[in-house]
Amino acid sequence: MKSLIVYSSQTKNTKKLAEAIYESLEGEKDIFPVDEAPSTEGYDLTAVGFWLMAGKPDPKISEYLAKKVIKDNSLFLFATHGAAAGSNHVKNAIDHAIGLKNDVKIKGVFTCQGEVNPKVLEKVKQKPEPPVWIGDAAHAVGHPNEEDLSALRKMITEL
Ligand SMILES: Cc1cc2nc3c(=O)[nH]c(=O)nc-3n(C[C@H](O)[C@H](O)[C@H](O)COP(=O)(O)O)c2cc1C
């Protein structure tokens, strides 16, 4: 089994998940930031990780999913976000990611909160209509934490 891990990460939250997946996967494996990632051709499993931006997967990963994930590939999606885990905001973003790739098999999905850059948080709070996820962002401090990472490792070893 040959696996590819591709991730996008500005402040390293999603990168931490990517590295935990890399450590937990058996067999041949490669890991790339999205800017350097090849197409998924020749891989049995691809894990694609993104951070949420404006309620969707960040633009680089949206483009990667649309253009470089080939048919017949098995996909594991992972993400970090300021919004609460399990919220509709997160579910909609995951549905959006899956919608970009209707033709592949989804092997699993893992998401958790990721600490939001405080400068971004201040700016966003000052908008006339702050987005829904902002209320949950205080609880994202310190995430992903060891508990998040061990839940992810468990999921990967059970794939
Ligand atoms: C410009 C910007 C927009 C964001 N938009 C959202 C959003 O719509 N929903 C959300 O839950 N989190 C949002 N976040 C929070 C990030 O998704 C979260 O902090 C994530 O863990 C960052 O991942 P990274 O460290 O891998 O870059 C936003 C962050 C930034 C910087």
XYZ file of all heavy atoms in Angstrom, residues 61-149:
678
model
N -6.184 23.999 -1.347
C -6.614 22.596 -1.320
C -7.843 22.392 -2.201
O -7.984 21.345 -2.845
C -6.853 22.133 0.140
C -5.523 21.842 0.823
C -7.783 20.925 0.195
C -4.725 20.640 0.325
N -8.705 23.386 -2.272
C -9.865 23.250 -3.176
C -9.360 23.016 -4.600
O -9.877 22.163 -5.329
C -10.727 24.513 -3.142
O -11.296 24.643 -1.864
N -8.342 23.758 -4.974
C -7.786 23.605 -6.324
C -7.119 22.232 -6.492
O -7.280 21.571 -7.515
C -6.784 24.728 -6.602
C -6.422 24.792 -8.067
C -5.396 25.864 -8.382
O -5.130 26.719 -7.527
O -4.851 25.815 -9.505
N -6.393 21.812 -5.448
C -5.738 20.503 -5.517
C -6.771 19.383 -5.681
O -6.610 18.498 -6.529
C -4.890 20.265 -4.256
C -4.148 18.962 -4.316
C -2.940 18.854 -4.999
C -4.664 17.813 -3.724
C -2.271 17.637 -5.090
C -4.008 16.599 -3.813
C -2.812 16.514 -4.496
O -2.158 15.307 -4.595
N -7.824 19.445 -4.864
C -8.865 18.411 -4.951
C -9.477 18.383 -6.345
O -9.674 17.317 -6.936
C -9.963 18.677 -3.918
C -9.649 18.281 -2.473
C -10.681 18.864 -1.524
C -9.591 16.766 -2.321
N -9.758 19.559 -6.865
C -10.423 19.614 -8.167
C -9.510 19.149 -9.297
O -9.959 18.464 -10.217
C -10.908 21.040 -8.433
N -8.219 19.477 -9.196
C -7.340 19.245 -10.357
C -6.398 18.060 -10.252
O -5.997 17.502 -11.260
C -6.477 20.494 -10.604
C -7.296 21.688 -11.064
C -6.391 22.782 -11.581
C -7.222 23.969 -12.061
N -6.461 25.207 -12.065
N -5.983 17.684 -9.052
C -4.891 16.696 -8.972
C -5.247 15.383 -8.295
O -4.416 14.491 -8.196
C -3.687 17.333 -8.286
C -3.022 18.388 -9.160
C -1.598 18.573 -8.752
C -0.839 19.443 -9.731
N 0.467 19.827 -9.204
N -6.481 15.289 -7.776
C -6.901 14.014 -7.199
C -7.610 13.242 -8.306
O -8.624 13.692 -8.841
C -7.836 14.224 -5.988
C -8.373 12.895 -5.483
C -7.088 14.948 -4.868
N -7.044 12.096 -8.647
C -7.589 11.371 -9.789
C -8.694 10.403 -9.365
O -8.796 10.028 -8.205
C -6.482 10.607 -10.550
C -5.774 9.632 -9.614
C -5.510 11.550 -11.227
C -5.043 8.554 -10.351
N -9.487 10.002 -10.337
C -10.556 9.020 -10.106
C -9.961 7.730 -9.558
O -8.796 7.451 -9.777
C -11.231 8.688 -11.432
C -12.295 9.662 -11.826
C -13.022 9.121 -13.031
C -14.042 10.135 -13.494
N -14.866 9.628 -14.573
N -10.774 6.946 -8.886
C -10.374 5.646 -8.344
C -9.459 5.758 -7.137
O -8.977 4.761 -6.628
C -9.668 4.753 -9.390
C -10.524 4.544 -10.606
O -11.756 4.535 -10.445
O -9.967 4.399 -11.698
N -9.150 6.964 -6.713
C -8.297 7.120 -5.546
C -9.157 7.032 -4.289
O -10.303 7.456 -4.304
C -7.623 8.480 -5.616
C -6.245 8.459 -5.002
O -6.090 8.834 -3.870
N -5.266 7.991 -5.752
N -8.584 6.481 -3.214
C -9.283 6.523 -1.934
C -8.806 7.737 -1.173
O -7.601 7.986 -1.085
C -8.959 5.274 -1.123
O -9.663 4.198 -1.646
N -9.750 8.471 -0.613
C -9.423 9.753 -0.010
C -9.752 9.753 1.481
O -10.828 9.322 1.892
C -10.272 10.804 -0.717
C -9.839 12.256 -0.713
C -8.438 12.420 -1.269
C -10.829 13.081 -1.539
N -8.800 10.269 2.266
C -9.049 10.548 3.681
C -8.939 12.053 3.834
O -7.923 12.642 3.473
C -8.007 9.832 4.551
C -8.221 10.037 6.025
C -9.034 9.177 6.750
C -7.623 11.104 6.697
C -9.248 9.371 8.109
C -7.831 11.310 8.053
C -8.645 10.438 8.762
N -9.999 12.679 4.319
C -9.983 14.138 4.466
C -9.726 14.508 5.920
O -10.288 13.893 6.832
C -11.324 14.731 4.027
C -11.659 14.650 2.538
C -13.083 15.125 2.296
C -10.680 15.468 1.695
N -8.893 15.520 6.133
C -8.707 16.030 7.503
C -8.639 17.550 7.462
O -8.263 18.133 6.438
C -7.480 15.395 8.177
C -6.156 15.638 7.499
C -5.267 16.589 8.002
C -5.768 14.924 6.378
C -4.020 16.803 7.409
C -4.535 15.135 5.765
C -3.665 16.069 6.281
N -9.054 18.165 8.567
C -9.143 19.623 8.562
C -9.048 20.187 9.972
O -9.378 19.516 10.947
C -10.473 20.048 7.933
N -8.601 21.433 10.055
C -8.693 22.183 11.313
C -9.508 23.449 11.070
O -9.586 23.943 9.950
C -7.307 22.556 11.890
O -6.657 23.469 11.002
C -6.431 21.343 12.108
N -10.107 23.950 12.148
C -11.044 25.068 12.023
C -11.214 25.758 13.361
O -11.020 25.150 14.425
C -12.406 24.534 11.546
C -12.798 23.246 12.202
N -13.331 23.193 13.468
C -12.673 21.959 11.793
C -13.552 21.928 13.800
N -13.148 21.147 12.809
N -11.628 27.023 13.296
C -11.930 27.756 14.525
C -13.283 27.361 15.088
O -13.511 27.409 16.298
N -14.188 26.974 14.235
C -15.552 26.594 14.636
C -15.536 25.345 15.520
O -14.562 24.588 15.522
C -16.388 26.313 13.382
N -16.637 25.142 16.237
C -16.742 23.957 17.098
C -16.753 22.690 16.251
O -17.345 22.666 15.160
C -18.017 24.039 17.927
N -16.113 21.638 16.779
C -16.139 20.347 16.085
C -17.591 19.874 16.013
O -18.351 20.044 16.967
C -15.297 19.340 16.852
N -17.974 19.324 14.886
C -19.329 18.791 14.749
C -20.375 19.853 14.415
O -21.551 19.529 14.250
N -19.975 21.119 14.332
C -20.944 22.178 14.009
C -21.379 22.078 12.547
O -20.673 21.490 11.715
C -20.323 23.552 14.271
O -19.168 23.725 13.474
N -22.519 22.668 12.242
C -22.987 22.670 10.844
C -21.997 23.373 9.935
O -21.827 22.996 8.784
C -24.353 23.349 10.727
C -25.455 22.410 11.156
O -25.275 21.195 11.123
N -26.567 22.967 11.582
N -21.352 24.394 10.460
C -20.347 25.136 9.698
C -19.254 24.175 9.176
O -18.878 24.217 8.004
C -19.743 26.195 10.628
C -18.713 27.070 10.009
N -19.026 28.107 9.165
C -17.358 27.068 10.114
C -17.906 28.710 8.784
N -16.892 28.089 9.343
N -18.799 23.300 10.069
C -17.745 22.346 9.679
C -18.319 21.280 8.739
O -17.705 20.944 7.724
C -17.109 21.701 10.935
C -16.128 20.604 10.546
C -16.404 22.762 11.773
N -19.525 20.795 9.061
C -20.143 19.767 8.199
C -20.314 20.287 6.778
O -20.043 19.584 5.807
C -21.513 19.360 8.753
C -21.398 18.416 9.926
C -22.785 17.925 10.358
C -22.671 17.242 11.712
N -23.788 17.517 12.589
N -20.750 21.531 6.665
C -20.945 22.107 5.321
C -19.630 22.196 4.553
O -19.588 21.957 3.346
C -21.579 23.501 5.417
C -23.014 23.432 5.892
O -23.650 22.384 5.821
N -23.530 24.541 6.396
N -18.566 22.547 5.270
C -17.262 22.662 4.607
C -16.773 21.291 4.124
O -16.214 21.164 3.024
C -16.241 23.293 5.556
N -17.004 20.268 4.946
C -16.597 18.905 4.550
C -17.434 18.457 3.349
O -16.907 17.903 2.372
C -16.750 17.923 5.734
C -15.793 18.306 6.873
C -16.535 16.476 5.277
C -14.318 18.198 6.554
N -18.727 18.734 3.400
C -19.591 18.379 2.258
C -19.110 19.084 0.991
O -19.119 18.508 -0.093
C -21.045 18.787 2.527
C -21.716 17.834 3.504
O -21.120 16.768 3.782
O -22.809 18.167 4.000
N -18.696 20.315 1.164
C -18.186 21.067 0.014
C -16.936 20.378 -0.558
O -16.809 20.208 -1.776
C -17.865 22.501 0.430
C -17.432 23.362 -0.706
N -18.326 24.092 -1.464
C -16.213 23.571 -1.247
C -17.657 24.719 -2.412
N -16.373 24.428 -2.303
N -16.037 19.956 0.332
C -14.801 19.281 -0.119
C -15.148 17.984 -0.845
O -14.606 17.689 -1.921
C -13.895 18.991 1.072
N -16.077 17.222 -0.284
C -16.473 15.949 -0.909
C -17.123 16.221 -2.263
O -16.875 15.510 -3.240
C -17.412 15.147 0.022
C -16.630 14.695 1.262
C -18.013 13.943 -0.702
C -17.471 14.057 2.355
N -17.909 17.297 -2.329
C -18.575 17.670 -3.581
C -17.595 18.004 -4.700
O -17.927 17.860 -5.878
N -16.398 18.427 -4.319
C -15.388 18.731 -5.350
C -14.858 17.450 -5.990
O -14.198 17.493 -7.025
C -14.204 19.499 -4.731
C -14.495 20.917 -4.252
C -13.316 21.447 -3.429
C -14.732 21.843 -5.440
N -15.117 16.316 -5.328
C -14.546 15.049 -5.779
C -15.568 13.942 -5.660
O -15.379 12.953 -4.951
C -13.364 14.737 -4.850
C -12.069 14.419 -5.470
C -11.511 15.246 -6.517
C -11.572 14.698 -7.897
N -10.858 15.457 -8.904
N -16.685 14.067 -6.316
C -17.760 13.082 -6.206
C -17.350 11.685 -6.643
O -17.952 10.704 -6.238
C -18.949 13.530 -7.064
C -19.776 14.557 -6.334
O -19.937 14.453 -5.127
N -20.250 15.554 -7.051
N -16.322 11.617 -7.483
C -15.977 10.333 -8.095
C -14.973 9.514 -7.290
O -14.546 8.467 -7.733
C -15.451 10.564 -9.520
C -14.456 11.706 -9.597
O -14.133 12.273 -8.538
O -13.997 12.017 -10.704
N -14.562 9.972 -6.103
C -13.615 9.161 -5.341
C -14.273 8.584 -4.096
O -15.308 9.059 -3.635
C -12.338 9.941 -4.917
C -11.582 10.477 -6.104
C -12.672 11.020 -3.927
N -13.624 7.522 -3.585
C -14.147 6.854 -2.400
C -13.599 7.560 -1.150
O -12.383 7.714 -1.005
C -13.646 5.413 -2.449
C -14.288 4.502 -1.480
C -13.893 3.069 -1.845
C -13.832 2.246 -0.594
N -12.934 1.123 -0.700
N -14.493 7.997 -0.257
C -14.035 8.655 0.969
C -13.812 7.575 2.038
O -14.744 6.900 2.466
C -15.069 9.701 1.469
C -15.391 10.733 0.372
C -14.567 10.380 2.735
C -14.263 11.642 -0.039
N -12.560 7.417 2.434
C -12.210 6.379 3.415
C -12.433 6.839 4.850
O -12.535 6.031 5.766
C -10.724 6.021 3.280
C -10.388 5.245 2.053
C -10.687 3.768 2.207
C -9.591 3.083 3.010
N -9.824 1.622 3.061
N -12.442 8.153 5.049
C -12.634 8.672 6.403
C -12.468 10.178 6.438
O -11.935 10.768 5.494
N -12.936 10.764 7.536
C -12.837 12.217 7.717
C -12.478 12.484 9.176
O -13.054 11.871 10.081
C -14.187 12.915 7.408
C -14.094 14.410 7.678
C -14.643 12.668 5.970
N -11.516 13.367 9.400
C -11.191 13.785 10.768
C -11.062 15.298 10.798
O -10.379 15.873 9.953
C -9.862 13.169 11.232
C -9.478 13.607 12.620
C -9.896 12.894 13.736
C -8.717 14.762 12.819
C -9.561 13.312 15.019
C -8.383 15.190 14.102
C -8.804 14.459 15.207
N -11.728 15.920 11.748
C -11.516 17.361 11.915
C -11.399 17.685 13.398
O -11.906 16.955 14.248
C -12.666 18.223 11.317
O -13.692 18.391 12.285
C -13.231 17.657 10.037
N -10.712 18.770 13.690
C -10.671 19.272 15.069
C -10.441 20.778 15.027
O -10.074 21.325 13.985
C -9.585 18.572 15.887
S -7.910 18.983 15.391
N -10.643 21.420 16.167
C -10.381 22.856 16.200
C -8.887 23.120 16.065
O -8.058 22.283 16.413
C -10.892 23.440 17.517
C -12.401 23.607 17.538
C -12.870 24.457 18.694
O -12.664 24.074 19.842
N -13.500 25.570 18.402
N -8.565 24.304 15.540
C -7.174 24.744 15.414
C -7.106 26.188 15.869
O -7.919 27.022 15.438
N -6.169 26.460 16.756
C -6.046 27.823 17.311
C -5.976 28.862 16.196
O -5.237 28.698 15.225
C -4.790 27.884 18.189
C -4.616 29.220 18.850
C -3.641 29.167 20.022
O -3.359 28.072 20.557
O -3.166 30.245 20.400
N -6.763 29.913 16.347
C -6.832 30.942 15.300
C -5.803 32.028 15.615
O -5.717 32.492 16.769
C -8.250 31.559 15.234
C -8.357 32.517 14.051
C -9.311 30.467 15.130
N -5.064 32.417 14.609
C -4.103 33.506 14.738
C -4.781 34.712 15.419
O -5.771 35.231 14.901
C -3.639 33.847 13.313
C -2.676 35.016 13.266
O -2.656 35.855 14.153
N -1.908 35.059 12.206
N -4.283 35.160 16.606
C -4.968 36.216 17.373
C -5.193 37.504 16.560
O -6.218 38.168 16.743
C -4.028 36.482 18.544
C -3.161 35.286 18.641
C -3.076 34.667 17.284
N -4.259 37.834 15.679
C -4.435 39.062 14.873
C -5.634 38.928 13.932
O -6.411 39.862 13.756
C -3.168 39.331 14.051
C -2.055 39.906 14.868
C -0.886 40.294 13.987
C 0.305 40.663 14.854
N 1.574 40.517 14.163
N -5.756 37.741 13.353
C -6.888 37.481 12.446
C -8.191 37.551 13.248
O -9.168 38.175 12.834
C -6.742 36.093 11.781
C -7.997 35.713 10.996
C -5.521 36.069 10.875
N -8.157 36.961 14.423
C -9.345 36.917 15.272
C -9.831 38.331 15.608
O -11.027 38.633 15.504
C -8.987 36.167 16.557
C -10.096 35.467 17.300
C -10.891 34.561 16.385
C -9.513 34.655 18.448
N -8.901 39.204 15.991
C -9.264 40.590 16.329
C -9.911 41.290 15.141
O -10.923 41.970 15.277
C -8.019 41.365 16.780
C -7.713 41.200 18.246
C -8.949 41.266 19.135
O -9.674 42.284 19.081
O -9.216 40.291 19.860
N -9.297 41.098 13.975
C -9.807 41.743 12.757
C -11.219 41.267 12.444
O -12.113 42.051 12.149
C -8.914 41.386 11.563
C -7.983 42.490 11.143
C -7.411 42.129 9.790
C -6.265 43.053 9.440
N -5.534 42.580 8.290
N -11.380 39.936 12.515
C -12.664 39.342 12.138
C -13.766 39.779 13.113
O -14.894 40.057 12.717
C -12.555 37.796 12.069
C -13.893 37.157 11.764
C -11.543 37.381 11.011
N -13.395 39.887 14.399
C -14.379 40.286 15.423
C -14.920 41.681 15.149
O -16.024 42.021 15.546
C -13.715 40.279 16.805
C -13.754 38.938 17.487
C -13.191 39.074 18.896
C -13.025 37.752 19.574
N -12.131 37.810 20.721
N -14.084 42.497 14.510
C -14.500 43.879 14.282
C -15.379 44.092 13.058
O -15.867 45.191 12.823
C -13.251 44.747 14.183
C -12.946 45.309 15.568
C -11.531 45.515 15.855
O -10.851 46.055 15.010
N -11.093 45.087 17.019
N -15.593 43.025 12.316
C -16.467 43.156 11.148
C -17.884 43.515 11.617
O -18.304 43.078 12.691
C -16.513 41.833 10.375
C -15.236 41.544 9.633
C -15.419 40.341 8.745
C -14.201 40.170 7.864
N -14.318 39.012 6.985
N -18.631 44.275 10.813
C -19.999 44.624 11.202
C -20.854 43.378 11.477
O -21.671 43.368 12.387
C -20.537 45.395 9.995
C -19.378 45.671 9.106
C -18.223 44.838 9.528
N -20.615 42.321 10.678
C -21.323 41.056 10.939
C -20.314 39.928 11.081
O -20.018 39.231 10.104
C -22.277 40.749 9.786
C -23.500 41.636 9.801
C -24.470 41.285 8.700
O -24.616 40.098 8.376
O -25.063 42.228 8.161
N -19.764 39.722 12.291
C -18.750 38.669 12.456
C -19.328 37.306 12.070
O -20.506 37.045 12.321
C -18.421 38.715 13.950
C -18.923 40.017 14.434
C -20.072 40.399 13.543
N -18.500 36.436 11.479
C -19.011 35.132 11.047
C -19.412 34.241 12.229
O -18.932 34.444 13.346
C -17.829 34.522 10.281
C -16.638 35.263 10.745
C -17.079 36.621 11.170
N -20.251 33.252 11.944
C -20.803 32.391 13.010
C -19.723 31.686 13.834
O -19.895 31.495 15.041
C -21.745 31.303 12.449
C -23.088 31.880 12.086
C -21.137 30.561 11.267
N -18.635 31.299 13.193
C -17.641 30.468 13.876
C -16.850 31.224 14.946
O -16.215 30.612 15.803
C -16.677 29.827 12.868
C -15.922 30.786 12.010
C -16.305 31.283 10.818
C -14.633 31.355 12.277
N -15.353 32.127 10.315
C -14.313 32.183 11.191
C -13.702 31.232 13.321
C -13.115 32.905 11.123
C -12.516 31.944 13.256
C -12.237 32.764 12.173
N -16.918 32.540 14.910
C -16.067 33.340 15.793
C -16.367 33.085 17.271
O -15.480 33.100 18.115
C -16.177 34.843 15.413
C -14.849 35.540 15.635
C -17.281 35.570 16.105
C -13.856 35.195 14.605
N -17.627 32.783 17.569
C -18.009 32.515 18.958
C -17.331 31.276 19.529
O -17.143 31.156 20.741
N -16.955 30.345 18.675
C -16.321 29.097 19.139
C -14.803 29.218 19.210
O -14.135 28.348 19.771
C -16.622 27.952 18.160
C -18.106 27.724 17.989
O -18.836 27.864 18.982
O -18.530 27.408 16.854
N -14.271 30.269 18.601
C -12.816 30.333 18.398
C -12.039 30.388 19.718
O -10.906 29.904 19.780
C -12.467 31.516 17.505
N -12.643 30.921 20.788
C -11.936 30.978 22.083
C -11.579 29.566 22.553
O -10.535 29.349 23.171
C -12.809 31.673 23.118
N -12.442 28.607 22.228
C -12.189 27.216 22.652
C -11.162 26.504 21.765
O -10.805 25.364 22.034
C -13.500 26.419 22.639
C -14.559 27.028 23.497
N -14.482 27.041 24.862
C -15.706 27.674 23.185
C -15.535 27.673 25.356
N -16.287 28.070 24.354
N -10.755 27.179 20.709
C -9.772 26.552 19.807
C -8.339 26.741 20.305
O -7.411 26.087 19.810
C -9.908 27.146 18.398
N -8.164 27.605 21.315
C -6.806 27.859 21.836
C -6.174 26.547 22.317
O -6.809 25.765 23.024
C -6.858 28.903 22.991
C -5.485 29.082 23.627
C -7.383 30.233 22.458
N -4.942 26.303 21.874
C -4.222 25.089 22.296
C -4.485 23.867 21.423
O -3.853 22.834 21.584
N -5.407 24.000 20.459
C -5.698 22.878 19.544
C -4.920 23.056 18.235
O -4.673 24.179 17.823
C -7.196 22.824 19.231
C -8.030 22.375 20.389
N -8.297 21.044 20.654
C -8.656 23.080 21.355
C -9.058 20.957 21.740
N -9.285 22.180 22.183
N -4.576 21.962 17.562
C -4.809 20.585 17.975
C -3.930 20.220 19.172
O -2.741 20.542 19.175
C -4.437 19.763 16.738
C -3.625 20.647 15.871
C -3.945 22.045 16.227
N -4.525 19.528 20.146
C -3.759 19.124 21.326
C -3.489 17.613 21.255
O -3.852 16.948 20.284
C -4.502 19.509 22.612
C -5.889 18.883 22.673
O -6.164 17.908 21.975
N -6.756 19.429 23.499
N -2.863 17.100 22.304
C -2.456 15.685 22.279
C -3.669 14.753 22.137
O -3.601 13.725 21.476
C -1.642 15.375 23.535
C -0.845 14.081 23.470
C -0.178 13.790 22.103
O 0.527 14.657 21.556
O -0.407 12.680 21.583
N -4.785 15.175 22.736
C -6.007 14.357 22.642
C -6.500 14.284 21.187
O -6.879 13.223 20.686
C -7.086 15.010 23.501
C -8.118 14.056 24.037
C -9.087 14.798 24.952
O -8.602 15.537 25.837
O -10.304 14.666 24.746
N -6.477 15.436 20.503
C -6.877 15.464 19.082
C -5.967 14.524 18.277
O -6.439 13.740 17.453
C -6.732 16.882 18.494
C -7.605 17.910 19.189
O -8.748 17.574 19.549
O -7.143 19.063 19.370
N -4.660 14.659 18.525
C -3.709 13.878 17.720
C -3.831 12.387 17.995
O -3.739 11.575 17.074
C -2.275 14.369 17.981
C -2.011 15.828 17.573
C -0.598 16.252 17.946
C -2.234 16.061 16.078
